[in-house]
Amino acid sequence: MTVKLVEISDVTKNYRRDEFSIKVLAGVSMDVTEGEFVALMGPSGSGKSTLLNLLAGIDRPTSGQIRVAGQELGALNDSQLAGWRHRNVGFVFQFYHLIPVLTAFENLELPLTLTKLSRAQRRKKVDLALEVVGLADRKDHYPRQLSGGQEQRVAIARAIVTDPRLVLADEPTGDLDAASAQEILDLLAQLNEEFGKTIVMVTHDPRAAERAGRELHLDKGRLNSAADAA
Amino acid sequence: MIPVKYNVRSLFVRKANTLMTVVSIAFVVLVYVGVLALGAGLRVAFTASGDSSTVIVLRDGSNSEMESYFPTETHRILASMPGVARDADGEPLVSGETMTLQILERLDGSETNAVLRGVEDGAFALRPYIQITEGRRFVPGQTEIIVGDQLEGEVGDLELGSTINLGRFTFTVVGIFDSGGSSYGSEIWGNVQEFGDSFRRQNYYSSTRLKADSPAQAETLIEEIESSQQIDVNARDEPSYFEAQSVASSGIFLMLGNLIAIMMGFGACFAAANTMYAQVAARSKEIATLRVLGFRRRTILSVFVLEAAVLGLAAGALGALLALPLNGLSAGTTNFMTFSEVRFMLRTTPDVLGAGVLVATLTAVVGGFFPALSASRAPIATLLREG
């Protein structure tokens, strides 16, 4: 049985820039089934990252409804949204956004400090996540002591350490060389196939999008076409 | 909760900015601690000598010995009251005393109001902590005086063996006494009759000190004196008398200390705010990341307030460290009850240092609050676009 993990219904998003109102999303509707790997493509300014932010509860739509993991996001206040995001969403940024003054281990442990897990339980989960991304031997390294590819792998480990149902990745290979980008895409595919994580990935790169099970194309705030790549 | 090491390490990232703020707040602490140390030293000078079983008697309505006078007859009545302790020879442990101000010239040419205290022999038994460190006690009838340790070296004519004109007579300095840190260290002592004759104030005393066998008996003695129909005086135990003097003088330092701390702290607040705004601006992506990870606004607020507190604690510790050498420095002020000069030592007690650290922490927290608030309130999407 397929379960809809993400349901987006007629979502619009406008930004104000001085006296101008800019329409970024114009009536977007889409669903993502649990266990899917979806690539969200489109040119710059098409609204991809905005849509991803709305899915993560980082931003709120101007109109329309977003339901993720059975929760209508519009019904939650900021504080509830933070708690919901912590339990359900793992986020991977283009520029990794690791905390520079914390080691790889401490970066991964950070979201777990919001749980009631003991120190030993946290350590176990962090070690496991680092093992999944192949960086168990770099846990005491600070971000500045890692390569770009390694930093992104730590960021992915941080996104999955709380075992969220949905992983959102915003241009995860955008700042990497081809070899590192390939490693990251392999890792995301592994998370999807082996661990059943639902992934929505924003990307410019058609080769990256090919790794997803489905491609969605946004242009000028509208979802133009959806093609099954698999 | 976000671990404190995150705050501490973040402060080290922007070392120069952090260091400048720490130093500027530390100087506030230094000045504040300095002024409080003056107050604490003065308090000790007044209260070190307080003995609960000693009763001090003044004319009714007088708050200090300087404004008090009563006939020697009153003193004789007081000395004969039951409840006054007696020495080995059966003599009552009492001292009728006079207090006179004398302007003296310091070695540096400035002037000071010195207290001339005329005392009876019992004065030394009533104040066992007064010890002659050089020379000897004065002998009545020889126009001799002894000088407190805080005055020695301040006034040229008060060295051992030197002579000085006080009133109509010329007195010889025959001894220097250690006052045990009390305000008597700023006084010149001589025989009460001789001072009376020299200043033409015979037959009047400023105060009488009486020794009781215990603090409880001192209380009884005070009640008896106050209820006596024969004499019109007020009596209190020595600690409460000194406490009143100390509050009048050290209160000014406390007020001054707080005023200076508020004014300088205001400036230091801006330094702390500047540092914390710089921290917030440079870390907008970090703040956004923490929010995306699920940390709530109030956690972000507490993280940055805590960071400011860490900054303040470091500044407080540095300021307290810088203030430590002030301990033991000699200073002088006016006793605002007697208008005489009191010499005393600055004391950087744990309380005073603690107050300094507290002021530093509060300064940094107040300065850091608004940057912290702005960090916690900014929308995540905006923070992600910035920086």
Side-chain angles (χ1 to χ4, degrees):
Chain A
M1 195 182 97
T2 55
V3 176
K4 285 182 185 170
L5 189 66
V6 177
E7 297 165 78
I8 299 176
S9 169
D10 200 21
V11 162
T12 63
K13 178 68 185 177
N14 300 339
Y15 283 118
R16 276 210 86 77
R17 288 278 182 277
D18 301 322
E19 69 269 35
F20 303 108
S21 175
I22 300 164
K23 185 165 268 188
V24 182
L25 294 175
V28 172
S29 296
M30 61 175 263
D31 295 338
V32 178
T33 307
E34 180 134 43
E36 257 195 304
F37 185 174
V38 175
L40 202 52
M41 296 191 71
S44 291
S46 60
K48 317 182 290 292
S49 293
T50 301
L51 186 57
L52 206 67
N53 287 348
L54 294 178
L55 285 180
I58 287 171
D59 209 349
R60 291 177 186 275
T62 306
S63 67
Q65 289 189 323
I66 301 174
R67 180 178 285 271
V68 181
Q71 176 65 54
E72 165 58 47
L73 300 191
L76 302 177
N77 63 28
D78 276 359
S79 179
Q80 291 167 326
L81 212 46
W84 170 86
R85 193 163 48 239
H86 172 254
R87 288 187 301 276
N88 294 286
V89 177
F91 206 101
V92 181
F93 302 93
Q94 180 180 355
F95 298 106
Y96 336 127
H97 291 180
L98 296 174
I99 306 295
V101 296
L102 299 180
T103 63
F105 182 93
E106 290 163 347
N107 264 286
L108 263 67
E109 195 184 21
L110 201 56
L112 295 176
T113 59
L114 287 167
T115 66
K116 288 178 180 166
L117 294 175
S118 68
R119 199 180 169 82
Q121 287 169 319
R122 292 203 302 262
R123 186 177 299 132
K124 206 170 161 186
K125 277 184 172 282
V126 171
D127 285 341
L128 183 65
L130 281 170
E131 209 166 293
V132 168
V133 301
L135 285 176
D137 57 336
R138 300 294 169 98
K139 66 178 181 181
D140 293 326
H141 285 56
Y142 286 93
R144 65 176 182 278
Q145 297 165 331
L146 300 170
S147 70
Q150 287 170 333
E151 276 198 78
Q152 193 59 300
R153 276 150 68 189
V154 173
I156 291 172
R158 182 180 61 185
I160 60 167
V161 74
T162 53
D163 198 19
R165 291 169 75 180
L166 180 63
V167 175
L168 302 173
D170 191 0
E171 302 271 13
T173 59
D175 193 45
L176 299 175
D177 59 58
S180 299
Q182 199 55 45
E183 283 176 15
I184 295 302
L185 291 169
D186 288 343
L187 184 55
L188 289 173
Q190 183 194 355
L191 291 177
N192 176 242
E193 288 157 16
E194 283 184 33
F195 298 93
K197 296 292 171 200
T198 307
I199 300 174
V200 178
M201 175 178 71
V202 163
T203 182
H204 271 107
D205 182 0
R207 281 173 301 177
E210 281 172 13
R211 301 296 297 267
R214 184 156 61 111
E215 289 176 28
L216 296 172
H217 291 264
L218 262 173
D219 191 19
K220 292 178 183 165
R222 292 181 188 280
L223 215 47
N224 280 345
S225 61
D228 285 326
Chain B
M1 191 60 203
I2 295 170
V4 177
K5 60 189 167 197
Y6 167 68
N7 303 102
V8 177
R9 289 179 196 168
S10 295
L11 285 170
F12 272 101
V13 172
R14 278 161 279 274
K15 290 187 202 79
N17 202 343
T18 300
L19 191 67
M20 278 191 287
T21 307
V22 165
V23 169
S24 67
I25 299 177
F27 273 104
V28 176
V29 173
L30 177 62
V31 173
Y32 184 59
V33 166
V35 179
L36 289 190
L38 284 169
L42 195 59
R43 214 171 174 79
V44 169
F46 277 119
T47 56
S49 45
D51 174 4
S52 321
S53 57
T54 296
V55 174
I56 179 162
V57 182
L58 306 177
R59 184 173 67 99
D60 196 27
S62 299
N63 287 316
S64 77
E65 289 174 275
M66 189 54 65
E67 60 191 67
S68 163
Y69 63 94
F70 49 74
T72 47
E73 177 57 24
T74 303
H75 170 70
R76 275 190 285 278
I77 293 168
L78 287 164
S80 64
M81 288 188 89
V84 176
R86 290 175 183 272
D87 63 16
D89 301 326
E91 292 297 317
L93 279 170
V94 299
S95 175
E97 303 185 356
T98 57
M99 201 172 182
T100 314
L101 281 187
Q102 175 78 21
I103 295 174
L104 298 177
E105 193 175 309
R106 286 200 188 96
L107 286 173
D108 64 9
S110 62
E111 290 183 335
T112 176
N113 270 347
V115 169
L116 308 184
R117 183 179 293 278
V119 298
E120 293 182 336
D121 287 346
F124 294 98
L126 281 158
R127 302 174 180 90
Y129 46 85
I130 301 274
Q131 297 291 329
I132 299 289
T133 52
E134 284 179 70
R136 57 173 174 78
R137 285 185 193 174
F138 59 84
V139 174
Q142 300 296 315
T143 56
E144 292 173 345
I145 52 172
I146 57 174
V147 174
D149 49 1
Q150 298 286 338
L151 270 184
E152 192 216 0
E154 283 274 318
V155 179
D157 297 336
L158 294 180
E159 290 181 1
L160 195 62
S162 57
T163 56
I164 184 169
N165 292 325
L166 300 171
R168 296 188 297 147
F169 302 159
T170 301
F171 289 82
T172 307
V173 178
V174 296
I176 306 295
F177 64 88
D178 175 0
S179 62
S182 70
S183 57
Y184 297 122
S186 312
E187 295 184 353
I188 297 166
W189 284 17
N191 177 264
V192 68
Q193 304 296 345
E194 285 174 17
F195 278 176
D197 290 342
S198 187
F199 289 94
R200 299 178 195 278
R201 286 179 200 156
Q202 299 96 332
N203 305 323
Y204 280 94
Y205 284 167
S206 302
S207 65
T208 292
R209 276 175 169 73
L210 308 162
K211 181 83 174 166
D213 281 326
S214 67
Q217 290 200 354
E219 289 302 309
T220 312
L221 186 56
I222 289 168
E223 282 170 27
E224 281 174 19
I225 294 169
E226 300 250 313
S227 59
S228 169
Q229 300 294 317
Q230 282 182 286
I231 47 178
D232 191 17
V233 293
N234 75 55
R236 60 188 113 167
D237 61 72
E238 230 179 14
S240 34
Y241 173 71
F242 285 129
E243 180 68 19
Q245 302 242 313
S246 143
V247 167
S249 298
S250 65
I252 285 172
F253 284 103
L254 202 62
M255 197 179 75
L256 192 68
N258 285 328
L259 194 69
I260 290 173
I262 287 168
M263 286 192 295
M264 288 187 69
F266 197 67
C269 258
F270 282 104
N274 194 35
T275 299
M276 293 311 296
Y277 269 119
Q279 290 280 357
V280 167
R283 281 150 65 190
S284 60
K285 290 268 165 56
E286 268 178 57
I287 296 163
T289 305
L290 292 171
R291 299 278 306 282
V292 169
L293 290 177
F295 289 96
R296 290 173 165 81
R297 288 179 191 275
R298 61 171 178 269
T299 310
I300 304 297
L301 176 70
S302 64
V303 161
F304 282 92
V305 168
L306 183 70
E307 200 160 307
V310 170
L311 194 73
L313 276 175
L318 178 66
L321 207 64
L322 291 173
L324 275 180
L326 297 178
N327 195 41
L329 282 186
S330 183
T333 185
T334 300
N335 175 345
F336 288 95
M337 297 291 271
T338 63
F339 297 99
S340 61
E341 168 142 344
V342 183
R343 303 292 309 173
F344 61 97
M345 288 194 292
L346 271 74
R347 289 177 195 271
T348 51
T349 60
D351 282 0
V352 165
L353 294 175
V357 173
L358 186 69
V359 160
T361 310
L362 284 177
T363 301
V365 166
V366 169
F369 182 78
F370 289 101
L373 195 65
S374 72
S376 71
R377 284 188 171 173
I380 305 174
T382 309
L383 289 170
L384 284 172
R385 278 195 299 272
E386 287 173 351

